[in-house]
Amino acid sequence: MLVKGVRMYGKSDLRFETFDIGEMGEEELLARVVTDSLCMSTHKAALQGSDHRAVPDGIDQNPVVVGHEFCAVVEKVGARAATDLRVGDVFTVQPKMFLDGEVRGPGYSFAAYGGDITYIRVPREALEGNYLLPYRGKGYFRASLTEPYSCLISALRAQYHLAPNHKDHVMGPRAGGCMAVLAGGGPMGMGMAQCAMGMENRPELIVVTDVDAQRVQRARKLLVPQNGVRVEVVDTSGVEDVPALLRQIAGGRGFDDVMIMAPVPAVIAQADAISGEDSCISFFAGPTRKDFFAPVNFYDVHYNDKHILGTSGGDIGDMREAIEKISSGEIRAEVMVSHIGGLNAVTDTTLRLPSIPGAKKLIYCGLDLPLTAIADFAALGESDPMFARLHRICEAHDGLWSEEAEAELLKSARKI
């Protein structure tokens, strides 16, 4: 079966091409991929190639499909496929799979199973491991965004503080405490704040920082306080003493939970400086270098019960929680999206992802469309009726992407 997709052949070697994924086996499932949201993890994998833990050797001869935050529709089910999904069902996936003791997953490890492709063959291992999750909410794009939100939920649930005996762990953020989301003006930082406001043991104050004025402005507009949580978005560019400013905002106290959203030593130093007694620092943003180091005050680790941890991805339970909260509207996943594009935009966008302003870049895998910012719809609409219609729809939704905008795009845009 001929498809179009983006495959990785080596370090920084992504190719958009037409290729044959073969015939679906009796234990497999065939699906049409509708959306994929581009992830910084894919950018990092593209830089590392087979040095990445989930990318196999030999991809120069056996390339792998990239993309893992996707939503697809079942087209055909094998006679012996281990699934309850039926033709027409919509699903998303838990990409972190464990096969023969190794981490594998769509977007990293398979020749015909990933997000940036028109059709996929879902392998037997993914079906038997129950890595496919039905989605019955509104909008294909929201299903794509359940995976990044599951990673955020996982990170928050991994936070811990000490019980009164200073030995047992009380899991999750400190209820009624202070949380900092450093370098958090991007999509994942805003998502982290959103998820934290919905936790059972949620903080009383969340301070989000960034050095990019546009990201700060966008976060201030879109991060709506919920459940009695106070939210402050702070532009730290040009601030001489960032830790002093943040401690002042927190009423002079140290922060209980600190989430690091960028692998930058200076940001880690800020996290170390603002953390209080029995605090928990989460190094959420994974670096590309294996020799990444940053200074940490280990006196505080010993005497002030400072905890440091890192998480990577979520599990099936986190995915289910993300799907439930997004489907119910408790999480407004649309605040993550700043750009849309077609499958033809994936290669360049993925390789340049850190340098492209805005938030999540949402790909429609059946369309031929350059990467386009929602903020540019109005100007483009002066000469293109489709973008004029999209602009009107987005304006009616607080300038955000929506299922109405998605339906218009799928109806009007050029097919790949």
Side-chain angles (χ1 to χ4, degrees), residues 322-368:
I323 289 172
E324 179 182 346
K325 289 187 174 182
I326 288 174
S327 298
S328 69
E330 182 178 339
I331 290 177
R332 296 180 70 205
E334 57 268 32
V335 305
M336 274 201 179
V337 181
S338 65
H339 292 66
I340 59 167
L343 192 60
N344 54 303
V346 169
T347 298
D348 177 68
T349 302
T350 299
L351 293 175
R352 296 192 304 111
L353 201 54
S355 65
I356 303 175
K360 273 285 187 183
K361 283 66 183 177
L362 179 67
I363 297 300
Y364 283 86
C365 297
L367 301 183
D368 181 347

mmCIF file of all heavy atoms in Angstrom, residues 322-368:
data_model
loop_
_atom_site.group_PDB
_atom_site.id
_atom_site.type_symbol
_atom_site.label_atom_id
_atom_site.label_comp_id
_atom_site.label_asym_id
_atom_site.label_seq_id
_atom_site.Cartn_x
_atom_site.Cartn_y
_atom_site.Cartn_z
ATOM 1 N N ALA A 322 -5.897 12.114 30.846
ATOM 2 C CA ALA A 322 -5.826 13.241 29.923
ATOM 3 C C ALA A 322 -7.012 13.243 28.965
ATOM 4 O O ALA A 322 -7.625 14.292 28.700
ATOM 5 C CB ALA A 322 -4.513 13.203 29.145
ATOM 6 N N ILE A 323 -7.363 12.065 28.446
ATOM 7 C CA ILE A 323 -8.506 11.962 27.533
ATOM 8 C C ILE A 323 -9.784 12.387 28.239
ATOM 9 O O ILE A 323 -10.599 13.137 27.680
ATOM 10 C CB ILE A 323 -8.630 10.516 26.999
ATOM 11 C CG1 ILE A 323 -7.490 10.212 26.020
ATOM 12 C CG2 ILE A 323 -9.982 10.315 26.308
ATOM 13 C CD1 ILE A 323 -7.415 8.760 25.594
ATOM 14 N N GLU A 324 -9.961 11.936 29.469
ATOM 15 C CA GLU A 324 -11.169 12.272 30.222
ATOM 16 C C GLU A 324 -11.261 13.781 30.469
ATOM 17 O O GLU A 324 -12.327 14.391 30.270
ATOM 18 C CB GLU A 324 -11.172 11.529 31.551
ATOM 19 C CG GLU A 324 -12.384 11.820 32.426
ATOM 20 C CD GLU A 324 -12.343 11.104 33.764
ATOM 21 O OE1 GLU A 324 -11.519 10.179 33.917
ATOM 22 O OE2 GLU A 324 -13.113 11.483 34.654
ATOM 23 N N LYS A 325 -10.160 14.391 30.886
ATOM 24 C CA LYS A 325 -10.195 15.814 31.222
ATOM 25 C C LYS A 325 -10.333 16.686 29.983
ATOM 26 O O LYS A 325 -10.991 17.737 30.029
ATOM 27 C CB LYS A 325 -8.936 16.184 32.007
ATOM 28 C CG LYS A 325 -8.925 15.601 33.413
ATOM 29 C CD LYS A 325 -7.750 16.110 34.237
ATOM 30 C CE LYS A 325 -7.866 15.614 35.679
ATOM 31 N NZ LYS A 325 -6.776 16.131 36.537
ATOM 32 N N ILE A 326 -9.733 16.261 28.878
ATOM 33 C CA ILE A 326 -9.880 17.030 27.636
ATOM 34 C C ILE A 326 -11.271 16.849 27.052
ATOM 35 O O ILE A 326 -11.905 17.814 26.606
ATOM 36 C CB ILE A 326 -8.784 16.612 26.633
ATOM 37 C CG1 ILE A 326 -7.428 17.151 27.098
ATOM 38 C CG2 ILE A 326 -9.106 17.127 25.233
ATOM 39 C CD1 ILE A 326 -6.253 16.677 26.279
ATOM 40 N N SER A 327 -11.792 15.629 27.065
ATOM 41 C CA SER A 327 -13.130 15.371 26.514
ATOM 42 C C SER A 327 -14.205 16.110 27.300
ATOM 43 O O SER A 327 -15.204 16.573 26.732
ATOM 44 C CB SER A 327 -13.427 13.867 26.525
ATOM 45 O OG SER A 327 -12.513 13.163 25.706
ATOM 46 N N SER A 328 -14.036 16.237 28.623
ATOM 47 C CA SER A 328 -15.031 16.908 29.460
ATOM 48 C C SER A 328 -14.908 18.426 29.420
ATOM 49 O O SER A 328 -15.799 19.132 29.904
ATOM 50 C CB SER A 328 -14.883 16.438 30.913
ATOM 51 O OG SER A 328 -13.665 16.909 31.478
ATOM 52 N N GLY A 329 -13.816 18.933 28.859
ATOM 53 C CA GLY A 329 -13.603 20.379 28.827
ATOM 54 C C GLY A 329 -12.899 20.920 30.051
ATOM 55 O O GLY A 329 -12.663 22.128 30.161
ATOM 56 N N GLU A 330 -12.524 20.032 30.988
ATOM 57 C CA GLU A 330 -11.806 20.489 32.174
ATOM 58 C C GLU A 330 -10.453 21.085 31.792
ATOM 59 O O GLU A 330 -9.979 22.041 32.410
ATOM 60 C CB GLU A 330 -11.604 19.323 33.139
ATOM 61 C CG GLU A 330 -10.907 19.708 34.433
ATOM 62 C CD GLU A 330 -10.755 18.543 35.386
ATOM 63 O OE1 GLU A 330 -11.503 17.547 35.246
ATOM 64 O OE2 GLU A 330 -9.889 18.625 36.276
ATOM 65 N N ILE A 331 -9.828 20.513 30.772
ATOM 66 C CA ILE A 331 -8.597 21.062 30.198
ATOM 67 C C ILE A 331 -8.920 21.607 28.815
ATOM 68 O O ILE A 331 -9.472 20.894 27.978
ATOM 69 C CB ILE A 331 -7.499 19.984 30.091
ATOM 70 C CG1 ILE A 331 -6.983 19.602 31.470
ATOM 71 C CG2 ILE A 331 -6.345 20.479 29.219
ATOM 72 C CD1 ILE A 331 -5.954 18.496 31.450
ATOM 73 N N ARG A 332 -8.570 22.867 28.582
ATOM 74 C CA ARG A 332 -8.773 23.486 27.268
ATOM 75 C C ARG A 332 -7.516 23.239 26.426
ATOM 76 O O ARG A 332 -6.603 24.062 26.360
ATOM 77 C CB ARG A 332 -9.038 24.977 27.407
ATOM 78 C CG ARG A 332 -10.314 25.334 28.160
ATOM 79 C CD ARG A 332 -10.478 26.846 28.232
ATOM 80 N NE ARG A 332 -10.782 27.434 26.948
ATOM 81 C CZ ARG A 332 -10.508 28.700 26.623
ATOM 82 N NH1 ARG A 332 -9.878 29.487 27.473
ATOM 83 N NH2 ARG A 332 -10.832 29.171 25.435
ATOM 84 N N ALA A 333 -7.500 22.105 25.755
ATOM 85 C CA ALA A 333 -6.311 21.721 24.999
ATOM 86 C C ALA A 333 -6.000 22.694 23.865
ATOM 87 O O ALA A 333 -4.850 22.825 23.445
ATOM 88 C CB ALA A 333 -6.495 20.313 24.435
ATOM 89 N N GLU A 334 -7.006 23.403 23.388
ATOM 90 C CA GLU A 334 -6.799 24.301 22.257
ATOM 91 C C GLU A 334 -5.835 25.446 22.549
ATOM 92 O O GLU A 334 -5.283 26.048 21.625
ATOM 93 C CB GLU A 334 -8.140 24.867 21.769
ATOM 94 C CG GLU A 334 -8.957 25.599 22.813
ATOM 95 C CD GLU A 334 -9.949 24.705 23.533
ATOM 96 O OE1 GLU A 334 -9.649 23.502 23.719
ATOM 97 O OE2 GLU A 334 -11.018 25.204 23.899
ATOM 98 N N VAL A 335 -5.603 25.753 23.838
ATOM 99 C CA VAL A 335 -4.674 26.843 24.146
ATOM 100 C C VAL A 335 -3.254 26.476 23.731
ATOM 101 O O VAL A 335 -2.394 27.359 23.610
ATOM 102 C CB VAL A 335 -4.700 27.217 25.642
ATOM 103 C CG1 VAL A 335 -6.108 27.549 26.094
ATOM 104 C CG2 VAL A 335 -4.088 26.136 26.513
ATOM 105 N N MET A 336 -2.987 25.196 23.507
ATOM 106 C CA MET A 336 -1.648 24.774 23.095
ATOM 107 C C MET A 336 -1.341 25.101 21.632
ATOM 108 O O MET A 336 -0.176 25.197 21.252
ATOM 109 C CB MET A 336 -1.479 23.268 23.300
ATOM 110 C CG MET A 336 -1.036 22.853 24.688
ATOM 111 S SD MET A 336 -0.306 21.193 24.606
ATOM 112 C CE MET A 336 0.164 20.951 26.320
ATOM 113 N N VAL A 337 -2.348 25.233 20.797
ATOM 114 C CA VAL A 337 -2.131 25.293 19.348
ATOM 115 C C VAL A 337 -1.917 26.726 18.878
ATOM 116 O O VAL A 337 -2.751 27.594 19.112
ATOM 117 C CB VAL A 337 -3.334 24.677 18.596
ATOM 118 C CG1 VAL A 337 -3.105 24.725 17.087
ATOM 119 C CG2 VAL A 337 -3.586 23.251 19.061
ATOM 120 N N SER A 338 -0.808 26.948 18.184
ATOM 121 C CA SER A 338 -0.557 28.275 17.600
ATOM 122 C C SER A 338 -0.404 28.223 16.086
ATOM 123 O O SER A 338 -0.536 29.243 15.420
ATOM 124 C CB SER A 338 0.708 28.895 18.203
ATOM 125 O OG SER A 338 1.861 28.141 17.865
ATOM 126 N N HIS A 339 -0.089 27.041 15.522
ATOM 127 C CA HIS A 339 0.133 26.904 14.087
ATOM 128 C C HIS A 339 -0.561 25.639 13.582
ATOM 129 O O HIS A 339 -0.719 24.670 14.322
ATOM 130 C CB HIS A 339 1.620 26.757 13.758
ATOM 131 C CG HIS A 339 2.457 27.969 14.010
ATOM 132 N ND1 HIS A 339 2.677 28.484 15.272
ATOM 133 C CD2 HIS A 339 3.158 28.764 13.146
ATOM 134 C CE1 HIS A 339 3.480 29.536 15.178
ATOM 135 N NE2 HIS A 339 3.783 29.730 13.915
ATOM 136 N N ILE A 340 -0.932 25.666 12.304
ATOM 137 C CA ILE A 340 -1.409 24.463 11.619
ATOM 138 C C ILE A 340 -0.590 24.289 10.351
ATOM 139 O O ILE A 340 0.019 25.226 9.840
ATOM 140 C CB ILE A 340 -2.907 24.553 11.266
ATOM 141 C CG1 ILE A 340 -3.170 25.765 10.360
ATOM 142 C CG2 ILE A 340 -3.766 24.607 12.524
ATOM 143 C CD1 ILE A 340 -4.529 25.766 9.711
ATOM 144 N N GLY A 341 -0.576 23.069 9.839
ATOM 145 C CA GLY A 341 0.143 22.797 8.605
ATOM 146 C C GLY A 341 -0.243 21.449 8.066
ATOM 147 O O GLY A 341 -0.941 20.665 8.732
ATOM 148 N N GLY A 342 0.215 21.172 6.852
ATOM 149 C CA GLY A 342 -0.027 19.880 6.243
ATOM 150 C C GLY A 342 1.173 18.975 6.389
ATOM 151 O O GLY A 342 2.222 19.357 6.925
ATOM 152 N N LEU A 343 1.045 17.754 5.896
ATOM 153 C CA LEU A 343 2.105 16.764 6.021
ATOM 154 C C LEU A 343 3.396 17.240 5.358
ATOM 155 O O LEU A 343 4.493 16.905 5.807
ATOM 156 C CB LEU A 343 1.639 15.439 5.414
ATOM 157 C CG LEU A 343 2.473 14.196 5.680
ATOM 158 C CD1 LEU A 343 2.569 13.903 7.177
ATOM 159 C CD2 LEU A 343 1.881 12.991 4.945
ATOM 160 N N ASN A 344 3.259 18.035 4.315
ATOM 161 C CA ASN A 344 4.429 18.544 3.608
ATOM 162 C C ASN A 344 5.250 19.523 4.434
ATOM 163 O O ASN A 344 6.393 19.832 4.087
ATOM 164 C CB ASN A 344 3.994 19.230 2.308
ATOM 165 C CG ASN A 344 2.953 20.313 2.554
ATOM 166 O OD1 ASN A 344 1.896 20.025 3.128
ATOM 167 N ND2 ASN A 344 3.228 21.537 2.155
ATOM 168 N N ALA A 345 4.702 20.000 5.554
ATOM 169 C CA ALA A 345 5.403 20.976 6.392
ATOM 170 C C ALA A 345 6.207 20.324 7.513
ATOM 171 O O ALA A 345 6.937 21.007 8.242
ATOM 172 C CB ALA A 345 4.398 21.956 6.995
ATOM 173 N N VAL A 346 6.095 19.008 7.659
ATOM 174 C CA VAL A 346 6.655 18.340 8.841
ATOM 175 C C VAL A 346 8.179 18.384 8.880
ATOM 176 O O VAL A 346 8.780 18.684 9.919
ATOM 177 C CB VAL A 346 6.168 16.874 8.910
ATOM 178 C CG1 VAL A 346 6.948 16.089 9.961
ATOM 179 C CG2 VAL A 346 4.682 16.838 9.222
ATOM 180 N N THR A 347 8.837 18.071 7.778
ATOM 181 C CA THR A 347 10.291 17.932 7.780
ATOM 182 C C THR A 347 10.977 19.208 8.236
ATOM 183 O O THR A 347 11.764 19.213 9.198
ATOM 184 C CB THR A 347 10.786 17.539 6.376
ATOM 185 O OG1 THR A 347 10.231 16.276 6.013
ATOM 186 C CG2 THR A 347 12.300 17.440 6.348
ATOM 187 N N ASP A 348 10.690 20.306 7.580
ATOM 188 C CA ASP A 348 11.329 21.573 7.930
ATOM 189 C C ASP A 348 10.928 22.037 9.326
ATOM 190 O O ASP A 348 11.766 22.490 10.109
ATOM 191 C CB ASP A 348 10.953 22.642 6.896
ATOM 192 C CG ASP A 348 11.528 24.002 7.239
ATOM 193 O OD1 ASP A 348 12.761 24.161 7.188
ATOM 194 O OD2 ASP A 348 10.742 24.910 7.581
ATOM 195 N N THR A 349 9.653 21.900 9.647
ATOM 196 C CA THR A 349 9.169 22.364 10.950
ATOM 197 C C THR A 349 9.816 21.581 12.086
ATOM 198 O O THR A 349 10.236 22.161 13.090
ATOM 199 C CB THR A 349 7.642 22.230 11.039
ATOM 200 O OG1 THR A 349 7.039 22.980 9.966
ATOM 201 C CG2 THR A 349 7.117 22.762 12.363
ATOM 202 N N THR A 350 9.908 20.271 11.943
ATOM 203 C CA THR A 350 10.488 19.444 13.003
ATOM 204 C C THR A 350 11.947 19.815 13.251
ATOM 205 O O THR A 350 12.384 19.945 14.399
ATOM 206 C CB THR A 350 10.383 17.952 12.643
ATOM 207 O OG1 THR A 350 9.003 17.607 12.502
ATOM 208 C CG2 THR A 350 11.012 17.079 13.715
ATOM 209 N N LEU A 351 12.707 19.995 12.204
ATOM 210 C CA LEU A 351 14.125 20.302 12.358
ATOM 211 C C LEU A 351 14.351 21.699 12.930
ATOM 212 O O LEU A 351 15.346 21.939 13.606
ATOM 213 C CB LEU A 351 14.843 20.152 11.016
ATOM 214 C CG LEU A 351 14.919 18.713 10.475
ATOM 215 C CD1 LEU A 351 15.529 18.696 9.083
ATOM 216 C CD2 LEU A 351 15.722 17.821 11.410
ATOM 217 N N ARG A 352 13.421 22.612 12.685
ATOM 218 C CA ARG A 352 13.570 23.991 13.169
ATOM 219 C C ARG A 352 12.709 24.293 14.388
ATOM 220 O O ARG A 352 12.591 25.444 14.802
ATOM 221 C CB ARG A 352 13.222 24.987 12.060
ATOM 222 C CG ARG A 352 14.125 24.964 10.863
ATOM 223 C CD ARG A 352 13.896 26.167 9.954
ATOM 224 N NE ARG A 352 12.529 26.306 9.503
ATOM 225 C CZ ARG A 352 11.700 27.268 9.880
ATOM 226 N NH1 ARG A 352 12.092 28.208 10.739
ATOM 227 N NH2 ARG A 352 10.460 27.325 9.409
ATOM 228 N N LEU A 353 12.119 23.283 14.979
ATOM 229 C CA LEU A 353 11.080 23.489 15.985
ATOM 230 C C LEU A 353 11.459 24.467 17.102
ATOM 231 O O LEU A 353 10.659 25.349 17.440
ATOM 232 C CB LEU A 353 10.667 22.139 16.570
ATOM 233 C CG LEU A 353 9.300 22.066 17.247
ATOM 234 C CD1 LEU A 353 8.196 22.543 16.327
ATOM 235 C CD2 LEU A 353 9.014 20.639 17.698
ATOM 236 N N PRO A 354 12.651 24.380 17.696
ATOM 237 C CA PRO A 354 12.951 25.299 18.803
ATOM 238 C C PRO A 354 13.002 26.772 18.394
ATOM 239 O O PRO A 354 12.818 27.660 19.228
ATOM 240 C CB PRO A 354 14.335 24.832 19.284
ATOM 241 C CG PRO A 354 14.489 23.450 18.766
ATOM 242 C CD PRO A 354 13.736 23.419 17.476
ATOM 243 N N SER A 355 13.265 27.039 17.120
ATOM 244 C CA SER A 355 13.422 28.434 16.672
ATOM 245 C C SER A 355 12.144 29.046 16.128
ATOM 246 O O SER A 355 12.121 30.238 15.788
ATOM 247 C CB SER A 355 14.511 28.511 15.593
ATOM 248 O OG SER A 355 14.125 27.801 14.420
ATOM 249 N N ILE A 356 11.072 28.261 16.027
ATOM 250 C CA ILE A 356 9.811 28.786 15.491
ATOM 251 C C ILE A 356 8.969 29.306 16.657
ATOM 252 O O ILE A 356 8.653 28.554 17.576
ATOM 253 C CB ILE A 356 9.037 27.706 14.718
ATOM 254 C CG1 ILE A 356 9.892 27.130 13.600
ATOM 255 C CG2 ILE A 356 7.750 28.290 14.139
ATOM 256 C CD1 ILE A 356 9.247 25.970 12.871
ATOM 257 N N PRO A 357 8.590 30.576 16.638
ATOM 258 C CA PRO A 357 7.813 31.135 17.755
ATOM 259 C C PRO A 357 6.456 30.455 17.890
ATOM 260 O O PRO A 357 5.997 29.735 17.000
ATOM 261 C CB PRO A 357 7.653 32.616 17.364
ATOM 262 C CG PRO A 357 8.679 32.869 16.315
ATOM 263 C CD PRO A 357 8.870 31.574 15.598
ATOM 264 N N GLY A 358 5.803 30.732 19.018
ATOM 265 C CA GLY A 358 4.461 30.221 19.230
ATOM 266 C C GLY A 358 4.441 28.966 20.069
ATOM 267 O O GLY A 358 5.399 28.632 20.764
ATOM 268 N N ALA A 359 3.328 28.260 19.973
ATOM 269 C CA ALA A 359 3.104 27.077 20.799
ATOM 270 C C ALA A 359 3.105 25.830 19.919
ATOM 271 O O ALA A 359 3.951 25.683 19.047
ATOM 272 C CB ALA A 359 1.798 27.239 21.574
ATOM 273 N N LYS A 360 2.157 24.929 20.115
ATOM 274 C CA LYS A 360 2.146 23.670 19.385
ATOM 275 C C LYS A 360 1.883 23.871 17.887
ATOM 276 O O LYS A 360 1.024 24.663 17.485
ATOM 277 C CB LYS A 360 1.068 22.751 19.952
ATOM 278 C CG LYS A 360 1.521 21.896 21.123
ATOM 279 C CD LYS A 360 2.404 20.756 20.674
ATOM 280 C CE LYS A 360 2.696 19.814 21.833
ATOM 281 N NZ LYS A 360 3.617 18.735 21.413
ATOM 282 N N LYS A 361 2.614 23.081 17.085
ATOM 283 C CA LYS A 361 2.427 23.056 15.647
ATOM 284 C C LYS A 361 1.612 21.799 15.310
ATOM 285 O O LYS A 361 2.075 20.677 15.508
ATOM 286 C CB LYS A 361 3.761 23.030 14.917
ATOM 287 C CG LYS A 361 4.462 24.389 14.864
ATOM 288 C CD LYS A 361 4.903 24.899 16.208
ATOM 289 C CE LYS A 361 5.524 26.283 16.120
ATOM 290 N NZ LYS A 361 5.882 26.796 17.463
ATOM 291 N N LEU A 362 0.393 22.016 14.820
ATOM 292 C CA LEU A 362 -0.562 20.937 14.589
ATOM 293 C C LEU A 362 -0.580 20.579 13.107
ATOM 294 O O LEU A 362 -0.831 21.433 12.259
ATOM 295 C CB LEU A 362 -1.952 21.379 15.050
ATOM 296 C CG LEU A 362 -3.100 20.400 14.866
ATOM 297 C CD1 LEU A 362 -2.920 19.182 15.760
ATOM 298 C CD2 LEU A 362 -4.433 21.090 15.171
ATOM 299 N N ILE A 363 -0.335 19.318 12.814
ATOM 300 C CA ILE A 363 -0.257 18.842 11.434
ATOM 301 C C ILE A 363 -1.514 18.061 11.060
ATOM 302 O O ILE A 363 -1.979 17.198 11.827
ATOM 303 C CB ILE A 363 0.982 17.939 11.254
ATOM 304 C CG1 ILE A 363 2.262 18.728 11.510
ATOM 305 C CG2 ILE A 363 0.996 17.322 9.857
ATOM 306 C CD1 ILE A 363 2.486 19.919 10.603
ATOM 307 N N TYR A 364 -2.048 18.375 9.885
ATOM 308 C CA TYR A 364 -3.155 17.603 9.307
ATOM 309 C C TYR A 364 -2.561 16.743 8.197
ATOM 310 O O TYR A 364 -2.148 17.241 7.153
ATOM 311 C CB TYR A 364 -4.256 18.536 8.801
ATOM 312 C CG TYR A 364 -5.082 19.061 9.955
ATOM 313 C CD1 TYR A 364 -4.681 20.191 10.658
ATOM 314 C CD2 TYR A 364 -6.207 18.390 10.390
ATOM 315 C CE1 TYR A 364 -5.410 20.654 11.758
ATOM 316 C CE2 TYR A 364 -6.944 18.837 11.482
ATOM 317 C CZ TYR A 364 -6.531 19.962 12.153
ATOM 318 O OH TYR A 364 -7.244 20.406 13.245
ATOM 319 N N CYS A 365 -2.513 15.437 8.457
ATOM 320 C CA CYS A 365 -1.701 14.541 7.647
ATOM 321 C C CYS A 365 -2.255 14.273 6.250
ATOM 322 O O CYS A 365 -1.533 13.781 5.387
ATOM 323 C CB CYS A 365 -1.489 13.233 8.394
ATOM 324 S SG CYS A 365 -0.569 13.452 9.939
ATOM 325 N N GLY A 366 -3.513 14.600 6.030
ATOM 326 C CA GLY A 366 -4.082 14.408 4.705
ATOM 327 C C GLY A 366 -4.063 15.657 3.849
ATOM 328 O O GLY A 366 -4.593 15.649 2.734
ATOM 329 N N LEU A 367 -3.436 16.724 4.358
ATOM 330 C CA LEU A 367 -3.493 18.017 3.667
ATOM 331 C C LEU A 367 -2.124 18.481 3.197
ATOM 332 O O LEU A 367 -1.096 18.121 3.759
ATOM 333 C CB LEU A 367 -4.096 19.075 4.591
ATOM 334 C CG LEU A 367 -5.503 18.798 5.116
ATOM 335 C CD1 LEU A 367 -5.983 19.964 5.964
ATOM 336 C CD2 LEU A 367 -6.478 18.492 3.987
ATOM 337 N N ASP A 368 -2.161 19.313 2.159
ATOM 338 C CA ASP A 368 -0.977 19.983 1.608
ATOM 339 C C ASP A 368 -1.092 21.458 1.997
ATOM 340 O O ASP A 368 -1.883 22.200 1.425
ATOM 341 C CB ASP A 368 -0.965 19.815 0.086
ATOM 342 C CG ASP A 368 0.242 20.465 -0.579
ATOM 343 O OD1 ASP A 368 0.935 21.249 0.091
ATOM 344 O OD2 ASP A 368 0.478 20.193 -1.772
#
